[in-house]
Amino acid sequence: MRILLIEDEHHLGAAVQEQLRSESHAVDWVQTLADADAAAVATDYDLLLLDLNLPDGNGIDLLKSMRERGSSCPVLILTAQDQISDRIAGLNAGADDYLVKPFDLEELSARIHAVIRRYVGNLKQVVDFGDVSVDITAKLVRKNGEEIALTRREWAILDQLSRRPGTVISKEKFEEALYEFGEEVESNAVEVHISRLRKKLGAELINTQRGVGYNLVI
């Protein structure tokens, strides 16, 4: 997924970014409300991780502004404010979940998966496409029961496809999932990774909708 992390504590931000990158997510990390607002307007994120106490204001204001603009992007609040009133305020402003610092990074990963599952619908942990089985939570893929090794970016593409089986996903959406701010987008990167996935999992698994995008054959 493409995730926007809004956190001004450098140590925590770096740890969260490293954790999410290890799970094949593309993570843009900003430390102010102004930068967060600009990023949220410019990019179609799959999830926002939002701290509340930021150098230039309260994250609740950004959340309210997003919802007023009609954004339905899932938002998970990360904050040291643990009063019930704070949690209620965040949820009433449009947050989907609330995680109090300090937290375990594995719990954060589980909360992210739960939030996304609610947005996508009844997302199964394991989805099967013929002889290919994809475990979304464990990030494992098997063909005829044998585990297949994927690179981080191959998994990022398969993850996008598996969460929306049958739905055509554009090249631009894949690029958002693959690249963070500042990374150079290679013109044929998506095509290359799709080709490698077909070689590993079967040419018939991924369908090309010419000029539109790709989808998993179900």
Side-chain angles (χ1 to χ4, degrees):
M1 296 184 292
R2 183 74 176 269
I3 297 175
L4 178 60
L5 170 63
I6 307 159
E7 173 58 64
D8 66 325
E9 294 181 28
H10 184 79
H11 180 73
L12 176 60
V16 170
Q17 186 178 52
E18 181 180 359
Q19 170 75 10
L20 297 179
R21 282 176 172 173
S22 73
E23 297 174 356
S24 302
H25 302 303
V27 184
D28 297 325
W29 175 22
V30 299
Q31 301 182 39
T32 66
L33 283 180
D35 288 344
D37 189 52
V41 169
T43 304
D44 183 19
Y45 287 100
D46 297 297
L47 177 74
L48 262 66
L49 299 178
L50 176 62
D51 187 19
L52 296 186
N53 291 323
L54 295 162
D56 54 345
N58 193 307
I60 292 291
D61 295 330
L62 172 65
L63 179 55
K64 289 179 177 178
S65 176
M66 288 175 52
R67 296 307 186 222
E68 288 170 358
R69 292 196 297 257
S71 172
S72 60
C73 179
V75 175
L76 173 56
I77 289 178
L78 310 176
T79 182
Q81 299 178 11
D82 61 353
Q83 298 297 316
I84 293 297
S85 58
D86 296 323
R87 301 187 192 191
I88 292 173
L91 294 171
N92 284 342
D96 298 275
D97 203 353
Y98 201 108
L99 190 56
V100 176
K101 303 174 185 177
F103 52 79
D104 184 87
L105 292 174
E106 293 298 329
E107 181 182 2
L108 172 62
S109 296
R111 294 288 190 102
I112 288 173
H113 185 72
V115 168
I116 296 301
R117 183 170 61 243
R118 290 198 295 270
Y119 267 76
V120 175
N122 187 23
L123 179 65
K124 297 179 181 179
Q125 176 175 326
V126 179
V127 288
D128 296 316
F129 306 98
D131 57 3
V132 175
S133 177
V134 181
D135 188 326
I136 294 174
T137 301
K139 293 180 170 52
L140 294 175
V141 58
R142 294 179 174 85
K143 182 177 176 64
N144 292 320
E146 180 181 352
E147 185 173 330
I148 305 297
L150 300 182
T151 67
R152 181 178 70 84
R153 286 182 169 167
E154 288 169 357
W155 172 259
I157 286 180
L158 185 60
D159 179 71
Q160 289 282 324
L161 291 167
S162 299
R163 291 175 185 275
R164 304 167 181 84
T167 300
V168 178
I169 301 176
S170 69
K171 178 180 177 180
E172 291 73 22
K173 183 63 177 176
F174 285 125
E175 289 176 342
E176 288 182 357
L178 291 173
Y179 294 99
E180 302 168 359
F181 285 152
E183 286 190 293
E184 183 178 354
V185 179
E186 301 174 30
S187 61
N188 66 336
V190 172
E191 290 85 352
V192 168
H193 294 308
I194 291 287
S195 176
R196 290 173 178 170
L197 282 171
R198 284 172 169 157
K199 289 179 180 178
K200 290 180 178 182
L201 304 179
E204 72 286 349
L205 181 67
I206 303 174
N207 185 46
T208 300
Q209 296 288 342
R210 192 169 299 277
V212 181
Y214 304 89
N215 66 285
L216 282 181
V217 177
I218 58 175

